[in-house]
Amino acid sequence: MSNAKVALITGSSRGIGATTAKLFAESGYAVVINYQHSRNDAEQLKQEITDMGAACIAVQADVSNESEVTKLFLAADQLGELSVLVNNAGILDTQARLEDISAERFKNILEVNVLSCFLCTKEAIKRMSTNHGGVGGTIVNVSSGAAKTGSPNEYVDYAASKGAMDTLTRGAAMELASEGIRVNSVRPGLIYTDMHASGGEPNRVDRLKEKIPLKRGGTAQEVAEAVLWLATDKSSFVTGSFIDTTGGL
Ligand code: NAP
């Protein structure tokens, strides 16, 4: 059991989640890393964070599955009192037009990107809410600029899932404000991670970067800094809000 505040970051074996986990560790948090498949990456990150002197565990759990989410939060309880939940786990599928997206694919995207956020938020409420004897906390949802653009011709399913996540952010923020829980969101734009390879185009950020007003892609660190700010008392009067880390797009 650690005396440090505990931050649980879903989908933190790679990309934005992994960078966020490291930033929270550097900022004095005990960190719960979560992953689905990338055990080696997660264990390596755990070692890095432990070497920094922070408490850390890595827990395998598919966050779209209710019983696995229960298991994840029970494991997190072993580390200490949960202060921060970052709903970061997310997927996209290959670029396709709407009429070529199957119902099965659409459901899977919604389950991994939205149902996961809903299930993890429920578990966090049970631990953080003053209604349940908790001392409050913060939740940060990693959405996407796609929630506003709709991602036509690429991933309308993914964009719709992020739109749903944004509505969840607003609703949860209003419902939980009087119970000591702030809920906010970061909406990244084109960020250099492996996610674009999952969409079938590893170099997508470089192809599109000239369309970004700042004329470059973003880094995972630039997203993580916004997540950290929303999670800490530095943003103590902010709830139900969105930070677009999109370079102006
Ligand atoms: P990434 O590099 O592909 O990493 C995705 C992470 O999510 C991995 O750690 C993966 O774990 C985990 N994950 C996926 N499905 C999971 C599940 N069912 N249960 C638990 N973990 C799961 O993606 P990223 O670019 O860092 O994206 C992180 C978040 O930022 C996502 O929500 C994404 O939608 C959002 N975002 C990214 C961009 C961008 O340009 N990169 C832009 C806008 C928004 P495993 O490796 O173990 O499967």
Side-chain angles (χ1 to χ4, degrees), residues 4-225:
K5 289 180 170 183
V6 175
L8 189 165
I9 299 122
T10 68
S12 44
S13 52
R14 302 183 280 119
I16 291 168
T19 303
T20 303
K22 258 192 272 183
L23 187 61
F24 273 82
E26 281 165 17
S27 308
Y29 286 84
V31 173
V32 182
I33 298 167
N34 156 250
Y35 65 99
Q36 185 178 20
H37 303 295
S38 305
R39 180 181 299 274
N40 288 346
D41 290 344
E43 289 298 331
Q44 200 177 319
L45 178 63
K46 177 182 151 189
Q47 190 60 50
E48 251 181 83
I49 288 177
T50 308
D51 290 347
M52 288 162 54
C56 181
I57 56 171
V59 186
Q60 194 279 331
D62 171 0
V63 286
S64 68
N65 177 302
E66 190 162 21
S67 60
E68 295 198 21
V69 168
T70 305
K71 182 190 83 176
L72 168 64
F73 278 76
L74 287 175
D77 290 341
Q78 302 305 309
L79 206 54
E81 201 166 334
L82 186 70
S83 290
V84 176
L85 166 66
V86 181
N87 284 309
N88 168 77
I91 55 164
L92 47 70
D93 208 319
T94 47
Q95 295 171 13
R97 281 178 53 85
L98 192 92
E99 69 264 34
D100 296 324
I101 295 175
S102 68
E104 192 189 353
R105 164 175 160 166
F106 194 92
K107 281 186 203 163
N108 184 46
I109 294 286
L110 286 183
E111 285 187 6
V112 176
N113 295 357
V114 190
L115 183 63
S116 64
C117 175
F118 167 75
L119 294 172
C120 291
T121 299
K122 281 180 65 166
E123 289 296 326
I125 292 168
K126 289 182 208 159
R127 288 158 176 83
M128 296 174 178
S129 167
T130 50
N131 279 1
H132 293 279
V135 296
T138 53
I139 299 174
V140 182
N141 295 330
V142 182
S143 171
S144 171
K148 292 197 289 186
T149 67
S151 299
N153 302 303
E154 289 194 318
Y155 347 85
V156 170
D157 51 351
Y158 171 83
S161 76
K162 295 301 187 177
M165 196 184 206
D166 287 1
T167 305
L168 195 51
T169 298
R170 280 296 299 170
M174 297 307 105
E175 189 166 315
L176 301 170
S178 60
E179 299 168 34
I181 304 176
R182 294 187 297 111
V183 187
N184 290 290
S185 170
V186 175
R187 284 190 291 223
L190 291 157
I191 310 298
Y192 288 102
T193 72
D194 293 342
M195 177 172 253
H196 305 285
S198 320
E201 190 186 357
N203 298 323
R204 180 166 173 264
V205 178
D206 283 332
R207 174 173 66 83
L208 295 170
K209 69 182 178 192
E210 285 309 311
K211 295 189 174 159
I212 300 170
L214 287 181
K215 300 289 176 207
R216 65 171 178 86
T219 64
Q221 187 73 25
E222 289 171 314
V223 179
E225 295 285 356

